[in-house]
Amino acid sequence: MTRILISLLCLTALAPTAGALKVQVWDRELQTKVGDGESSGSKLMMQFVGDYDGPVVVLFAQTDEEKSRATFPGLKSSYNGTLSKGLLTLQVPGTSGASPANTSLTLSKFLIPFKLTLSAQPAGQSLSLPGLKTTESAAKDSPSKDGAAKDGK
């Protein structure tokens, strides 16, 4: 009986977590999604729209299991920030006594206390987010001067 119990405890301790931390980056008006990511193990894999430059809202979604285990203690569900040339900077509330000033941190530095490392797709690479048309697909879909669709060949 104790062997079975010990075996079950060992398997439970070694079982990977079912969920993953999800991240979405939107423009300030929440109209356009400019980044997307998900954690896998200790890595947060992110993709960003390369040509976006401006203020953003960063949304973090933890699974119920991550919340109950306090996997990411102190992580808020949203932060303001800036995305410029594929570099995301977050505005994090200051922790010093009476000063409510925000501190700017890059996403990779922000993730250090949560024991996550950032793996971001460089801004120059092609990116496909759901609902996002690339300039090539937009050109193929748009009609030419005579009203006929362009041939992709």
Side-chain angles (χ1 to χ4, degrees), residues 69-90:
R69 288 185 176 191
T71 306
F72 305 108
L75 180 66
K76 293 182 178 183
S77 59
S78 70
Y79 293 88
N80 290 326
T82 305
L83 180 62
S84 179
K85 299 177 184 166
L87 180 65
L88 179 60
T89 305
L90 300 176

Side-chain angles (χ1 to χ4, degrees), residues 52-104:
Y52 184 82
D53 187 15
V56 294
V57 176
V58 183
L59 304 175
F60 290 92
Q62 299 181 56
T63 63
D64 291 336
E65 184 178 341
E66 288 170 336
K67 287 178 186 175
S68 67
R69 288 185 176 191
T71 306
F72 305 108
L75 180 66
K76 293 182 178 183
S77 59
S78 70
Y79 293 88
N80 290 326
T82 305
L83 180 62
S84 179
K85 299 177 184 166
L87 180 65
L88 179 60
T89 305
L90 300 176
Q91 296 298 319
V92 181
T95 55
S96 60
S99 175
N102 287 340
T103 303
S104 294

Side-chain angles (χ1 to χ4, degrees), residues 3-153:
R3 282 188 193 175
I4 294 172
L5 184 58
I6 291 173
S7 297
L8 286 175
L9 286 174
C10 289
L11 288 174
T12 305
L14 296 175
T17 58
L21 179 67
K22 295 183 193 248
V23 182
Q24 292 184 355
V25 183
W26 292 81
D27 69 342
R28 186 61 54 94
E29 289 78 32
L30 300 174
Q31 297 293 316
T32 306
K33 188 185 213 181
V34 295
D36 196 40
E38 186 172 341
S39 68
S40 177
S42 64
K43 223 175 228 195
L44 178 64
M45 292 167 277
M46 293 291 300
Q47 294 182 336
F48 297 107
V49 173
D51 60 351
Y52 184 82
D53 187 15
V56 294
V57 176
V58 183
L59 304 175
F60 290 92
Q62 299 181 56
T63 63
D64 291 336
E65 184 178 341
E66 288 170 336
K67 287 178 186 175
S68 67
R69 288 185 176 191
T71 306
F72 305 108
L75 180 66
K76 293 182 178 183
S77 59
S78 70
Y79 293 88
N80 290 326
T82 305
L83 180 62
S84 179
K85 299 177 184 166
L87 180 65
L88 179 60
T89 305
L90 300 176
Q91 296 298 319
V92 181
T95 55
S96 60
S99 175
N102 287 340
T103 303
S104 294
L105 291 175
T106 61
L107 181 58
S108 59
K109 288 183 181 179
F110 175 80
L111 295 172
I112 291 172
F114 304 112
K115 298 180 179 149
L116 289 172
T117 57
L118 178 63
S119 174
Q121 182 171 351
Q125 291 185 356
S126 175
L127 171 63
S128 175
L129 291 175
L132 179 69
K133 284 190 173 186
T134 63
T135 53
E136 290 176 14
S137 66
K140 287 179 186 176
D141 293 342
S142 67
S144 62
K145 290 181 183 178
D146 61 2
K150 289 185 180 180
D151 188 347
K153 296 181 183 177

